[in-house]
Amino acid sequence: MHFEEIIEHKDVLVVGGGTAGVIAAIQSARAGANTILVERVGQLGGAMTTGGVAFPGLFHAWGEQVIAGIGWELVSECVKLDGGTFPDFTDLSLRHWKHQFQLNQYLYALLAEEKCLEAGVSIVYYETPCSIESSVEGWLVETCGSGVKRTINCKQMIDCTGGADIVGMIGLPRLREEETQPGSMLYKSKSPYLPGEEQLEAVYVLGADSSTSATQTRANIEGRNAILKKIRESGNKLTHLQPEATFRESYRILGETVITHDDYVSGRKFDDAICYAFYPVDLHSKDGVKPKYLEQGVVPTIPLSALIPKDSNNIIVAGRCVSSDRLANSGLRVQASCMAMGQAAGATAALAAQSNSTPLDVPLEDVKNLLVQHQAIVPDV
C-alpha cells in the first residue's frame, strides 16, 4: 500500500480535539505558537459532540462567573447563533444542572473547527500517535492514519486524550482504580402513540473504558445493544443515536501536584492556582449518582502543577486526566473546568515553546498574564 509521507515542524502538538483540546489548540495558536491538533475521529468537540453531552457546566459559582475565556466565548457564540438562552446564573435556588444550558452539538462542532482554523491551528482528523520519541527539539511523533505516514517534530505536547494516553505512551506514571464509573450512550426516542417531543435518554455502560480501541469498541457495542433492547421493550421509535459512548474516567496523570478530595471540597487556594473549577462531587455507580454539593462559598482551584506530569519535560495535560484522586476528579472532570484547563495548558505550552523551556519552568506570572489577555479568569491567590 502506498503511503503519503508528510513531515511537520510545529511548536505545539495537541493530541485530542475534545472539550479541553479544542480550547488548548486555539489558545496556543492565538498566543503565536505554530500549533497542530490531531484528532482520531472526524470532528471536534469530543464528549460534547461525538458523545452528545451538549450541556456544559459549570461556568458560574454562587452567582458569579468563575470560568470564562475561550471556552465561554465558544459556547456563548453557539447559544447566540442557535437562538438559545442562558439560565439565570444568579438564582441560587436552582440545582446545579439547571445552571447548565443546552447547546446545539452540531453547531458547536462547526464553530470549534472554524475558531481553530481562524487561529491558525492545523487540524488533522482520523489519525492518532503510534510512536513518540524524545528529540533535540522536544518530540518526534509519528501518527497513524489511512494512507498517510505523518511525522511531527514539535517542541511541546499537550495531552488532551482524556485518559492520558500520550503520557502512558512515553512511560510516565498514571493513576487509576480497578473500578471505573460507568460510561453513557445517549439517544432519543418517541412514543408512536402519545403526543409529545422526542426525549433525550441515556443508558449506562458499566465498566466503560476509553484506554484502548478494544475497550472503546466493547463499550460502544454494549451501549448500542442496551438501547436496542429498550427500543424493543418500549415500542418507541428511535429518532437519534450518538455514534459513540462517553467515558467518565480512566487514567489520570501523576502530576507534580495531586489534587485531593479535601483540597477540592475545602476550596484550597493553591499557590500556583491557574483556574477555577466548580461542580458537586459527582461519582457515578451502577445505581446512579447522588451529587455531594460544595459548601456555600467554596470554589475549588486547579494548580498548574497538576497539569504537568511528575518529572517530565515538554509535556502538559488538560481535561479529566488532571492529577487528582478519584473523588476530586469526579468534580473536576466536567466540561467548563476542562475548558479552563485547556486554555491554561495551551498558554503554558506556547510560552514554553517560544522560550525553549519546559512547562514547569515557565514563570507563573507570564502564564497568568497571557490568560488574562485572552479573557480567562485567573484565581488571585
Side-chain angles (χ1 to χ4, degrees):
M1 179 177 179
H2 174 71
F3 285 89
E4 179 184 3
E5 295 192 14
I6 301 173
I7 298 176
E8 311 263 17
H9 292 272
K10 301 293 181 180
D11 294 326
V12 175
L13 163 62
V14 181
V15 183
T19 306
V22 165
I23 309 306
I26 294 170
Q27 175 62 92
S28 174
R30 286 184 180 179
N34 190 352
T35 304
I36 187 169
L37 171 59
V38 174
E39 166 55 45
R40 65 177 181 84
V41 301
Q43 66 176 0
L44 301 177
M48 206 176 312
T49 56
T50 306
V53 187
F55 26 91
L58 292 169
F59 292 88
H60 295 72
W62 314 116
E64 295 185 8
Q65 188 159 8
V66 294
I67 296 173
I70 297 170
W72 182 251
E73 170 193 333
L74 184 50
V75 299
S76 297
E77 187 171 329
C78 188
V79 170
K80 181 179 179 180
L81 187 57
D82 199 46
T85 58
F86 289 110
D88 181 0
F89 296 115
T90 65
D91 186 352
L92 302 187
S93 68
L94 298 177
R95 286 295 193 182
H96 72 282
W97 53 272
K98 289 194 173 183
H99 280 176
Q100 296 173 232
F101 42 89
Q102 188 69 44
L103 291 181
N104 182 323
Q105 60 175 290
Y106 313 108
L107 188 57
Y108 184 87
L110 298 178
L111 289 172
E113 183 176 90
E114 179 185 64
K115 285 191 178 294
C116 281
L117 295 175
E118 286 177 346
V121 177
S122 299
I123 301 174
V124 175
Y125 290 129
Y126 302 116
E127 293 184 28
T128 190
C130 52
S131 72
I132 304 174
E133 298 177 5
S134 59
S135 68
V136 174
E137 288 186 353
W139 300 103
L140 187 65
V141 182
E142 288 190 356
T143 62
C144 301
S146 179
V148 172
K149 180 180 179 182
R150 189 183 307 270
T151 301
I152 304 171
N153 295 276
C154 62
K155 295 180 179 179
Q156 301 292 327
M157 287 193 297
I158 308 178
D159 185 343
C160 295
T161 59
D165 297 352
I166 304 307
V167 170
M169 283 183 70
I170 61 177
L172 294 172
R174 298 184 294 175
L175 308 170
R176 72 174 291 171
E177 287 70 32
E178 185 174 344
E179 178 187 12
T180 58
Q181 297 178 71
S184 291
M185 182 162 271
L186 278 62
Y187 68 104
K188 292 180 180 180
S189 67
K190 182 178 181 181
S191 170
Y193 310 109
L194 300 174
E197 297 182 356
E198 58 188 7
Q199 299 295 315
L200 179 63
E201 303 175 72
V203 296
Y204 268 160
V205 183
L206 301 182
D209 184 354
S210 62
S211 300
T212 69
S213 59
T215 57
Q216 288 177 322
T217 298
R218 189 179 309 128
N220 287 332
I221 290 174
E222 289 182 6
R224 291 174 190 137
N225 284 340
I227 291 170
L228 185 57
K229 181 180 179 182
K230 282 183 171 290
I231 293 299
R232 282 178 170 148
E233 290 174 347
S234 67
N236 288 348
K237 291 184 177 181
L238 180 64
T239 58
H240 176 81
L241 175 66
Q242 292 298 139
E244 292 189 6
T246 59
F247 302 88
R248 290 184 172 86
E249 67 177 331
S250 54
Y251 286 100
R252 311 178 301 276
I253 68 165
L254 175 61
E256 293 290 341
T257 297
V258 179
I259 305 170
T260 68
H261 173 254
D262 287 344
D263 293 333
Y264 188 79
V265 299
S266 67
R268 176 180 172 184
K269 299 295 190 294
F270 288 92
D271 290 341
D272 61 337
I274 203 64
C275 62
Y276 288 109
F278 188 69
Y279 208 76
V281 174
D282 194 61
L283 196 69
H284 290 245
S285 72
K286 61 182 178 61
D287 299 316
V289 60
K290 294 181 179 179
K292 296 182 179 178
Y293 294 91
L294 299 173
E295 293 185 3
Q296 180 74 31
V298 169
V299 184
T301 67
I302 299 174
L304 183 60
S305 50
L307 305 181
I308 301 174
K310 190 172 180 58
D311 299 324
S312 70
N313 286 299
N314 306 322
I315 185 169
I316 189 168
V317 310
R320 62 177 169 85
C321 62
V322 58
S323 178
S324 50
D325 68 24
R326 191 171 186 232
L327 284 176
N329 192 264
S330 72
L332 291 165
R333 63 176 171 78
V334 299
Q335 289 160 334
S337 305
C338 287
M339 288 177 168
M341 286 186 261
Q343 188 163 357
T348 305
L351 290 169
Q354 290 161 352
S355 61
N356 293 315
S357 61
T358 193
L360 197 61
D361 292 338
V362 175
L364 183 63
E365 285 306 308
D366 290 354
V367 180
K368 287 184 174 183
N369 289 337
L370 179 56
L371 289 172
V372 170
Q373 289 174 25
H374 292 269
Q375 289 71 54
I377 297 172
V378 178
D380 182 16
V381 180

Short mmCIF file of all heavy atoms in Angstrom, two decimals, residues 33-88:
data_model
loop_
_atom_site.label_atom_id
_atom_site.label_comp_id
_atom_site.label_asym_id
_atom_site.label_seq_id
_atom_site.Cartn_x
_atom_site.Cartn_y
_atom_site.Cartn_z
N ALA A 33 1.98 30.48 18.77
CA ALA A 33 2.69 29.23 18.57
C ALA A 33 2.15 28.52 17.33
O ALA A 33 0.94 28.52 17.09
CB ALA A 33 2.56 28.33 19.79
N ASN A 34 3.04 27.93 16.57
CA ASN A 34 2.67 27.12 15.40
C ASN A 34 2.09 25.80 15.92
O ASN A 34 2.83 24.96 16.43
CB ASN A 34 3.89 26.90 14.51
CG ASN A 34 3.53 26.28 13.17
OD1 ASN A 34 2.39 25.88 12.94
ND2 ASN A 34 4.51 26.20 12.30
N THR A 35 0.79 25.61 15.79
CA THR A 35 0.08 24.57 16.53
C THR A 35 -0.61 23.59 15.59
O THR A 35 -1.24 24.00 14.62
CB THR A 35 -0.98 25.21 17.45
OG1 THR A 35 -0.34 26.16 18.31
CG2 THR A 35 -1.69 24.16 18.29
N ILE A 36 -0.51 22.30 15.92
CA ILE A 36 -1.22 21.26 15.18
C ILE A 36 -2.08 20.46 16.16
O ILE A 36 -1.67 20.20 17.29
CB ILE A 36 -0.22 20.34 14.43
CG1 ILE A 36 -0.97 19.35 13.53
CG2 ILE A 36 0.71 19.63 15.38
CD1 ILE A 36 -0.06 18.60 12.56
N LEU A 37 -3.27 20.11 15.72
CA LEU A 37 -4.22 19.36 16.54
C LEU A 37 -4.55 18.05 15.83
O LEU A 37 -5.00 18.05 14.69
CB LEU A 37 -5.50 20.19 16.73
CG LEU A 37 -6.71 19.53 17.38
CD1 LEU A 37 -6.38 19.03 18.78
CD2 LEU A 37 -7.88 20.51 17.44
N VAL A 38 -4.31 16.94 16.52
CA VAL A 38 -4.56 15.61 15.97
C VAL A 38 -5.76 15.00 16.68
O VAL A 38 -5.76 14.89 17.92
CB VAL A 38 -3.33 14.70 16.11
CG1 VAL A 38 -3.64 13.28 15.67
CG2 VAL A 38 -2.16 15.26 15.30
N GLU A 39 -6.76 14.60 15.92
CA GLU A 39 -8.00 14.05 16.48
C GLU A 39 -8.34 12.73 15.77
O GLU A 39 -8.30 12.66 14.54
CB GLU A 39 -9.14 15.06 16.31
CG GLU A 39 -10.54 14.53 16.53
CD GLU A 39 -10.73 13.85 17.88
OE1 GLU A 39 -10.27 14.40 18.90
OE2 GLU A 39 -11.35 12.77 17.89
N ARG A 40 -8.68 11.71 16.54
CA ARG A 40 -8.87 10.37 15.98
C ARG A 40 -10.16 10.22 15.18
O ARG A 40 -10.27 9.30 14.36
CB ARG A 40 -8.84 9.32 17.09
CG ARG A 40 -9.99 9.43 18.07
CD ARG A 40 -9.98 8.32 19.12
NE ARG A 40 -11.09 8.45 20.03
CZ ARG A 40 -12.31 7.99 19.78
NH1 ARG A 40 -12.55 7.36 18.65
NH2 ARG A 40 -13.29 8.16 20.64
N VAL A 41 -11.18 11.05 15.44
CA VAL A 41 -12.43 10.96 14.67
C VAL A 41 -12.51 12.14 13.70
O VAL A 41 -11.55 12.88 13.53
CB VAL A 41 -13.67 10.89 15.59
CG1 VAL A 41 -13.57 9.67 16.50
CG2 VAL A 41 -13.84 12.16 16.41
N GLY A 42 -13.68 12.33 13.09
CA GLY A 42 -13.78 13.29 12.01
C GLY A 42 -14.37 14.64 12.38
O GLY A 42 -14.74 15.41 11.49
N GLN A 43 -14.48 14.94 13.68
CA GLN A 43 -14.98 16.25 14.09
C GLN A 43 -14.39 16.58 15.46
O GLN A 43 -13.88 15.72 16.17
CB GLN A 43 -16.51 16.27 14.16
CG GLN A 43 -17.10 15.38 15.24
CD GLN A 43 -18.61 15.49 15.33
OE1 GLN A 43 -19.24 16.24 14.60
NE2 GLN A 43 -19.21 14.74 16.25
N LEU A 44 -14.49 17.85 15.82
CA LEU A 44 -14.02 18.31 17.11
C LEU A 44 -15.17 18.31 18.12
O LEU A 44 -16.34 18.25 17.75
CB LEU A 44 -13.45 19.73 16.98
CG LEU A 44 -12.29 19.91 16.01
CD1 LEU A 44 -11.87 21.37 15.94
CD2 LEU A 44 -11.11 19.02 16.38
N GLY A 45 -14.81 18.39 19.38
CA GLY A 45 -15.82 18.53 20.43
C GLY A 45 -15.89 17.38 21.41
O GLY A 45 -16.37 17.55 22.53
N GLY A 46 -15.47 16.19 21.01
CA GLY A 46 -15.41 15.07 21.94
C GLY A 46 -16.73 14.71 22.57
O GLY A 46 -17.73 14.47 21.88
N ALA A 47 -16.77 14.71 23.89
CA ALA A 47 -17.98 14.32 24.62
C ALA A 47 -19.16 15.21 24.28
O ALA A 47 -20.31 14.78 24.30
CB ALA A 47 -17.71 14.36 26.13
N MET A 48 -18.88 16.47 23.93
CA MET A 48 -19.96 17.41 23.67
C MET A 48 -20.61 17.18 22.31
O MET A 48 -21.78 17.51 22.11
CB MET A 48 -19.44 18.84 23.76
CG MET A 48 -20.52 19.86 24.13
SD MET A 48 -19.89 21.53 24.35
CE MET A 48 -18.50 21.27 25.41
N THR A 49 -19.88 16.61 21.37
CA THR A 49 -20.40 16.43 20.01
C THR A 49 -20.52 14.94 19.67
O THR A 49 -21.63 14.44 19.49
CB THR A 49 -19.50 17.15 19.00
OG1 THR A 49 -18.15 16.68 19.12
CG2 THR A 49 -19.53 18.65 19.22
N THR A 50 -19.41 14.24 19.61
CA THR A 50 -19.46 12.82 19.30
C THR A 50 -20.22 12.05 20.38
O THR A 50 -20.94 11.10 20.08
CB THR A 50 -18.03 12.26 19.14
OG1 THR A 50 -17.33 13.04 18.17
CG2 THR A 50 -18.06 10.81 18.71
N GLY A 51 -20.06 12.49 21.62
CA GLY A 51 -20.77 11.84 22.73
C GLY A 51 -22.14 12.41 23.01
O GLY A 51 -22.97 11.75 23.65
N GLY A 52 -22.39 13.65 22.58
CA GLY A 52 -23.70 14.25 22.72
C GLY A 52 -24.01 14.88 24.07
O GLY A 52 -25.14 15.28 24.32
N VAL A 53 -23.00 14.99 24.95
CA VAL A 53 -23.22 15.61 26.25
C VAL A 53 -23.10 17.13 26.06
O VAL A 53 -22.12 17.76 26.45
CB VAL A 53 -22.22 15.10 27.31
CG1 VAL A 53 -22.58 15.64 28.69
CG2 VAL A 53 -22.21 13.58 27.33
N ALA A 54 -24.13 17.70 25.44
CA ALA A 54 -24.07 19.09 24.97
C ALA A 54 -24.76 20.03 25.93
O ALA A 54 -25.56 20.87 25.53
CB ALA A 54 -24.67 19.19 23.58
N PHE A 55 -24.45 19.89 27.21
CA PHE A 55 -25.00 20.81 28.22
C PHE A 55 -23.88 21.09 29.22
O PHE A 55 -23.84 20.54 30.32
CB PHE A 55 -26.25 20.24 28.90
CG PHE A 55 -26.33 18.74 28.90
CD1 PHE A 55 -25.81 17.99 29.95
CD2 PHE A 55 -26.92 18.06 27.85
CE1 PHE A 55 -25.87 16.62 29.95
CE2 PHE A 55 -27.00 16.68 27.84
CZ PHE A 55 -26.47 15.95 28.90
N PRO A 56 -22.95 21.96 28.82
CA PRO A 56 -21.71 22.16 29.60
C PRO A 56 -21.95 22.94 30.88
O PRO A 56 -22.85 23.76 30.99
CB PRO A 56 -20.83 22.95 28.63
CG PRO A 56 -21.80 23.71 27.80
CD PRO A 56 -22.98 22.79 27.60
N GLY A 57 -21.12 22.69 31.83
CA GLY A 57 -21.14 23.41 33.10
C GLY A 57 -19.91 23.04 33.89
O GLY A 57 -19.19 22.12 33.53
N LEU A 58 -19.68 23.72 34.95
CA LEU A 58 -20.40 24.94 35.36
C LEU A 58 -19.45 26.11 35.24
O LEU A 58 -18.31 26.05 35.73
CB LEU A 58 -20.89 24.83 36.79
CG LEU A 58 -22.00 23.80 37.07
CD1 LEU A 58 -22.20 23.60 38.56
CD2 LEU A 58 -23.33 24.25 36.46
N PHE A 59 -19.91 27.19 34.63
CA PHE A 59 -19.09 28.37 34.44
C PHE A 59 -19.28 29.39 35.57
O PHE A 59 -18.51 30.33 35.68
CB PHE A 59 -19.44 29.04 33.11
CG PHE A 59 -19.05 28.24 31.89
CD1 PHE A 59 -19.92 27.30 31.35
CD2 PHE A 59 -17.81 28.41 31.30
CE1 PHE A 59 -19.57 26.56 30.23
CE2 PHE A 59 -17.44 27.68 30.18
CZ PHE A 59 -18.33 26.75 29.65
N HIS A 60 -20.30 29.20 36.37
CA HIS A 60 -20.63 30.14 37.43
C HIS A 60 -20.68 29.42 38.78
O HIS A 60 -21.05 28.25 38.87
CB HIS A 60 -21.98 30.80 37.16
CG HIS A 60 -21.99 31.66 35.94
ND1 HIS A 60 -21.96 31.14 34.67
CD2 HIS A 60 -22.02 33.01 35.80
CE1 HIS A 60 -21.96 32.13 33.79
NE2 HIS A 60 -22.01 33.27 34.44
N ALA A 61 -20.31 30.15 39.83
CA ALA A 61 -20.36 29.63 41.19
C ALA A 61 -20.92 30.71 42.10
O ALA A 61 -20.42 31.84 42.12
CB ALA A 61 -18.96 29.22 41.67
N TRP A 62 -21.97 30.34 42.83
CA TRP A 62 -22.56 31.24 43.81
C TRP A 62 -22.94 32.59 43.20
O TRP A 62 -22.72 33.64 43.78
CB TRP A 62 -21.62 31.41 45.01
CG TRP A 62 -21.08 30.11 45.50
CD1 TRP A 62 -19.79 29.70 45.51
CD2 TRP A 62 -21.85 29.01 46.05
NE1 TRP A 62 -19.67 28.43 46.00
CE2 TRP A 62 -20.93 27.97 46.35
CE3 TRP A 62 -23.21 28.81 46.30
CZ2 TRP A 62 -21.33 26.76 46.90
CZ3 TRP A 62 -23.60 27.59 46.84
CH2 TRP A 62 -22.67 26.59 47.15
N GLY A 63 -23.45 32.54 41.96
CA GLY A 63 -23.95 33.75 41.32
C GLY A 63 -22.91 34.55 40.56
O GLY A 63 -23.25 35.58 39.96
N GLU A 64 -21.66 34.12 40.57
CA GLU A 64 -20.60 34.84 39.86
C GLU A 64 -19.90 33.93 38.87
O GLU A 64 -19.72 32.73 39.13
CB GLU A 64 -19.57 35.40 40.86
CG GLU A 64 -20.12 36.46 41.80
CD GLU A 64 -19.04 37.06 42.67
OE1 GLU A 64 -17.85 36.75 42.44
OE2 GLU A 64 -19.38 37.84 43.58
N GLN A 65 -19.47 34.51 37.76
CA GLN A 65 -18.75 33.72 36.77
C GLN A 65 -17.33 33.45 37.26
O GLN A 65 -16.62 34.37 37.69
CB GLN A 65 -18.70 34.43 35.42
CG GLN A 65 -18.12 33.57 34.31
CD GLN A 65 -18.51 34.03 32.92
OE1 GLN A 65 -19.10 35.09 32.76
NE2 GLN A 65 -18.19 33.23 31.92
N VAL A 66 -16.91 32.18 37.18
CA VAL A 66 -15.56 31.81 37.63
C VAL A 66 -14.73 31.21 36.50
O VAL A 66 -13.52 31.05 36.63
CB VAL A 66 -15.62 30.82 38.82
CG1 VAL A 66 -16.21 31.50 40.05
CG2 VAL A 66 -16.40 29.54 38.47
N ILE A 67 -15.38 30.85 35.38
CA ILE A 67 -14.67 30.34 34.21
C ILE A 67 -15.17 31.11 32.99
O ILE A 67 -16.38 31.18 32.75
CB ILE A 67 -14.88 28.83 34.02
CG1 ILE A 67 -14.28 28.05 35.20
CG2 ILE A 67 -14.27 28.35 32.70
CD1 ILE A 67 -14.59 26.57 35.20
N ALA A 68 -14.24 31.69 32.24
CA ALA A 68 -14.61 32.47 31.06
C ALA A 68 -13.65 32.10 29.93
O ALA A 68 -13.49 30.94 29.61
CB ALA A 68 -14.59 33.96 31.39
N GLY A 69 -13.04 33.11 29.32
CA GLY A 69 -12.03 32.86 28.30
C GLY A 69 -12.57 32.25 27.03
O GLY A 69 -13.72 32.46 26.64
N ILE A 70 -11.75 31.44 26.37
CA ILE A 70 -12.07 30.91 25.04
C ILE A 70 -13.23 29.92 25.10
O ILE A 70 -14.07 29.88 24.19
CB ILE A 70 -10.81 30.26 24.42
CG1 ILE A 70 -9.73 31.33 24.21
CG2 ILE A 70 -11.15 29.58 23.09
CD1 ILE A 70 -8.38 30.78 23.83
N GLY A 71 -13.31 29.13 26.15
CA GLY A 71 -14.42 28.20 26.28
C GLY A 71 -15.75 28.91 26.34
O GLY A 71 -16.72 28.54 25.65
N TRP A 72 -15.83 29.95 27.15
CA TRP A 72 -17.07 30.73 27.28
C TRP A 72 -17.38 31.45 25.97
O TRP A 72 -18.53 31.55 25.56
CB TRP A 72 -16.95 31.70 28.44
CG TRP A 72 -18.18 32.51 28.66
CD1 TRP A 72 -18.35 33.85 28.42
CD2 TRP A 72 -19.43 32.04 29.18
NE1 TRP A 72 -19.62 34.24 28.75
CE2 TRP A 72 -20.31 33.15 29.21
CE3 TRP A 72 -19.90 30.79 29.60
CZ2 TRP A 72 -21.63 33.05 29.66
CZ3 TRP A 72 -21.21 30.69 30.04
CH2 TRP A 72 -22.06 31.81 30.07
N GLU A 73 -16.36 31.95 25.31
CA GLU A 73 -16.54 32.60 24.01
C GLU A 73 -17.21 31.64 23.02
O GLU A 73 -18.16 32.01 22.31
CB GLU A 73 -15.17 33.04 23.47
CG GLU A 73 -15.15 33.51 22.03
CD GLU A 73 -13.74 33.61 21.48
OE1 GLU A 73 -12.79 33.82 22.25
OE2 GLU A 73 -13.59 33.45 20.25
N LEU A 74 -16.73 30.42 23.00
CA LEU A 74 -17.23 29.44 22.04
C LEU A 74 -18.66 29.01 22.36
O LEU A 74 -19.52 29.00 21.48
CB LEU A 74 -16.29 28.23 22.02
CG LEU A 74 -16.57 27.11 21.02
CD1 LEU A 74 -16.75 27.65 19.61
CD2 LEU A 74 -15.42 26.10 21.06
N VAL A 75 -18.93 28.69 23.63
CA VAL A 75 -20.29 28.23 23.96
C VAL A 75 -21.28 29.40 23.86
O VAL A 75 -22.43 29.20 23.46
CB VAL A 75 -20.35 27.55 25.34
CG1 VAL A 75 -19.46 26.32 25.38
CG2 VAL A 75 -20.01 28.50 26.46
N SER A 76 -20.86 30.61 24.22
CA SER A 76 -21.76 31.76 24.12
C SER A 76 -22.14 32.03 22.68
O SER A 76 -23.31 32.30 22.36
CB SER A 76 -21.09 33.01 24.71
OG SER A 76 -20.83 32.85 26.08
N GLU A 77 -21.16 31.95 21.79
CA GLU A 77 -21.45 32.17 20.38
C GLU A 77 -22.36 31.08 19.84
O GLU A 77 -23.25 31.35 19.02
CB GLU A 77 -20.14 32.20 19.58
CG GLU A 77 -20.33 32.60 18.13
CD GLU A 77 -19.01 32.84 17.42
OE1 GLU A 77 -18.05 33.28 18.07
OE2 GLU A 77 -18.96 32.60 16.20
N CYS A 78 -22.18 29.87 20.32
CA CYS A 78 -23.02 28.76 19.87
C CYS A 78 -24.48 28.98 20.30
O CYS A 78 -25.41 28.80 19.51
CB CYS A 78 -22.49 27.45 20.45
SG CYS A 78 -23.30 25.97 19.81
N VAL A 79 -24.67 29.37 21.56
CA VAL A 79 -26.02 29.63 22.07
C VAL A 79 -26.68 30.77 21.29
O VAL A 79 -27.83 30.69 20.87
CB VAL A 79 -25.99 29.96 23.57
CG1 VAL A 79 -27.35 30.46 24.05
CG2 VAL A 79 -25.59 28.72 24.38
N LYS A 80 -25.92 31.83 21.09
CA LYS A 80 -26.47 33.01 20.39
C LYS A 80 -26.85 32.68 18.96
O LYS A 80 -27.94 33.03 18.48
CB LYS A 80 -25.43 34.14 20.41
CG LYS A 80 -25.91 35.42 19.73
CD LYS A 80 -24.83 36.50 19.80
CE LYS A 80 -25.30 37.77 19.10
NZ LYS A 80 -24.26 38.83 19.15
N LEU A 81 -25.96 31.99 18.24
CA LEU A 81 -26.21 31.67 16.84
C LEU A 81 -27.40 30.73 16.69
O LEU A 81 -28.13 30.77 15.69
CB LEU A 81 -24.96 31.05 16.21
CG LEU A 81 -24.97 30.79 14.70
CD1 LEU A 81 -25.25 32.07 13.93
CD2 LEU A 81 -23.64 30.19 14.26
N ASP A 82 -27.62 29.90 17.70
CA ASP A 82 -28.72 28.93 17.66
C ASP A 82 -30.04 29.51 18.19
O ASP A 82 -31.05 28.81 18.22
CB ASP A 82 -28.33 27.69 18.49
CG ASP A 82 -29.18 26.48 18.14
OD1 ASP A 82 -29.38 26.21 16.96
OD2 ASP A 82 -29.64 25.80 19.09
N GLY A 83 -29.99 30.78 18.63
CA GLY A 83 -31.20 31.40 19.16
C GLY A 83 -31.59 30.90 20.53
O GLY A 83 -32.76 31.00 20.93
N GLY A 84 -30.62 30.40 21.29
CA GLY A 84 -30.90 29.87 22.61
C GLY A 84 -30.80 30.92 23.70
O GLY A 84 -30.55 32.10 23.44
N THR A 85 -31.01 30.49 24.92
CA THR A 85 -30.94 31.39 26.08
C THR A 85 -30.13 30.75 27.18
O THR A 85 -29.97 29.52 27.23
CB THR A 85 -32.35 31.71 26.61
OG1 THR A 85 -33.00 30.48 26.98
CG2 THR A 85 -33.18 32.44 25.56
N PHE A 86 -29.64 31.59 28.08
CA PHE A 86 -28.92 31.12 29.26
C PHE A 86 -29.86 31.11 30.46
O PHE A 86 -30.80 31.91 30.53
CB PHE A 86 -27.74 32.04 29.58
CG PHE A 86 -26.61 31.93 28.59
CD1 PHE A 86 -26.34 32.97 27.71
CD2 PHE A 86 -25.81 30.81 28.55
CE1 PHE A 86 -25.30 32.88 26.80
CE2 PHE A 86 -24.77 30.70 27.65
CZ PHE A 86 -24.51 31.74 26.77
N PRO A 87 -29.62 30.23 31.41
CA PRO A 87 -30.38 30.29 32.66
C PRO A 87 -29.98 31.50 33.49
O PRO A 87 -28.99 32.19 33.17
CB PRO A 87 -30.00 28.98 33.37
CG PRO A 87 -28.65 28.65 32.83
CD PRO A 87 -28.63 29.14 31.41
N ASP A 88 -30.71 31.76 34.55
CA ASP A 88 -30.37 32.84 35.48
C ASP A 88 -29.31 32.31 36.44
O ASP A 88 -29.60 31.61 37.40
CB ASP A 88 -31.61 33.29 36.24
CG ASP A 88 -31.32 34.43 37.21
OD1 ASP A 88 -30.14 34.87 37.28
OD2 ASP A 88 -32.25 34.86 37.91
#
